Every structure is written in C-alpha cells, then in structure tokens.
Amino acid sequence: MNTQNAIDWPEKYLPGTGDNFVSNEVIVRGTTAAEVWRFLIDTSAWEGYYDNVADISFPQGGGPRLADGLAFSFGTFGFPPLAARVVEFRAPAEGVPGRLSWTAEQDGTPEERLDVLHAWLVEDLPGGRVRVLTQETQIGQPAAALAQERPNPMLNGHQAWLDGLVAAASK
C-alpha cells in the first residue's frame, strides 16, 4: 500500500476552520524534490516564475533563502506586504518529504486583519515522480471575501505558483 504524506497543521489553522482554505497539488516527472526545494526556498527566484509576489524583504536580516524561524515580508493578492515567519523547515531527504510552512499576518482594523498559514510538502515518489502539495488556511474578513470570489483567486494563484515552480525546477 502506498500512502501519501500530508501537511502537519497547527490546530489554529486546521483546514475547514478558517475563512478560506485552498489545496493545490501537482505530480510530475522530469525533476526531483531537491530541485523543486531549491527554487521554493530561494525567495530571490520567486518573481522569476510567479507573478503574484512582490516586495520581498527580510526586516531582521537573513534571506534570500528561507530557513527555520526566518522573518520575511512579501506582497501578494493585492495585499500590502504581509509580515511572515517560517514555522516549519525540513529539506527533503531519502524517503522523507520536504516540509515548509510560514505564517503571515496583516494588522489593522478588523476589516483588514489577515492571519494565514501557507504550507508546502515536496516529495520524491516511485517511478521518478515528484509530488508538490501546497495548502493555505486564511483567517479574517479579507480571507472570507476572497473565498466568495469565483473562481477563487487564491486557488488559481497557488496553481500558477506550483506550475511556475515545477517549470523552473525542470529546466
């Protein structure tokens, strides 16, 4: 039996308990988890393969490569730059999926507040395949508004991120 790994969710962000949740996944040949991981954790590469991210910065230093506990900020989906922090970081290894997640927040009035957890799982599969799963839970009124749009911009945006990431890693 071949079971697939899953995202490890903190209770606060458990899928289905927030205001917006999306899940995107690709399984492809022609690259490895290590190659995908390299492009995923290097924020200086993001804008080269994903057009829905901007203004990436590291207010406490570090970067451009993500690391456990690293604080960074970035703009996406038309929001002002969100304050983010890496909360899980484990590179893929033989038989072990790569795991990356960060929280991101936007302060302000209740109408502006946003709190998210964006998680990634990157793993090699038998037969020379790679699985990349990204899921995000969002909490707040801006998230609820995004969830009502059709098609859901976050679902489509994350698919574009996955497609660009895999294309960059496959070159």
Side-chain angles (χ1 to χ4, degrees):
M1 184 166 143
N2 187 7
T3 59
Q4 292 187 329
N5 289 291
I7 303 292
D8 294 328
W9 287 98
E11 187 174 336
K12 176 181 179 181
Y13 301 102
L14 193 64
T17 63
D19 295 304
N20 194 12
F21 171 79
V22 298
S23 179
N24 298 71
E25 178 182 43
V26 295
I27 298 176
V28 298
R29 288 186 177 171
T31 190
T32 65
E35 277 299 303
V36 171
W37 185 258
R38 184 170 71 89
F39 282 92
L40 177 59
I41 67 165
D42 184 357
T43 64
S44 69
W46 288 3
E47 291 181 65
Y49 65 80
Y50 181 50
D51 64 5
N52 190 26
V53 67
D55 303 320
I56 301 165
S57 67
F58 300 88
Q60 299 171 2
R65 293 197 188 305
L66 298 178
D68 196 33
L70 182 68
F72 66 107
S73 70
F74 65 102
T76 188
F77 293 102
F79 295 114
L82 302 169
R85 180 171 301 279
V86 175
V87 295
E88 184 178 30
F89 186 95
R90 184 173 69 202
E94 182 71 31
V96 178
R99 293 181 179 277
L100 172 65
S101 63
W102 59 77
T103 56
E105 296 180 345
Q106 174 179 282
D107 288 328
T109 67
E111 294 80 24
E112 298 168 327
R113 268 191 220 119
L114 184 64
D115 183 2
V116 310
L117 184 111
H118 191 158
W120 297 82
L121 189 138
V122 181
E123 64 183 327
D124 288 311
L125 297 176
R129 300 171 299 143
V130 174
R131 175 180 178 232
V132 185
L133 171 67
T134 187
Q135 297 180 326
E136 183 170 321
T137 293
Q138 295 182 331
I139 301 165
Q141 290 183 21
L146 271 179
Q148 295 305 310
E149 292 184 38
R150 294 291 177 264
N152 184 314
M154 195 167 69
L155 185 69
N156 288 341
H158 287 178
Q159 190 62 47
W161 198 340
L162 276 177
D163 294 344
L165 173 61
V166 168
S170 297
K171 286 183 182 173

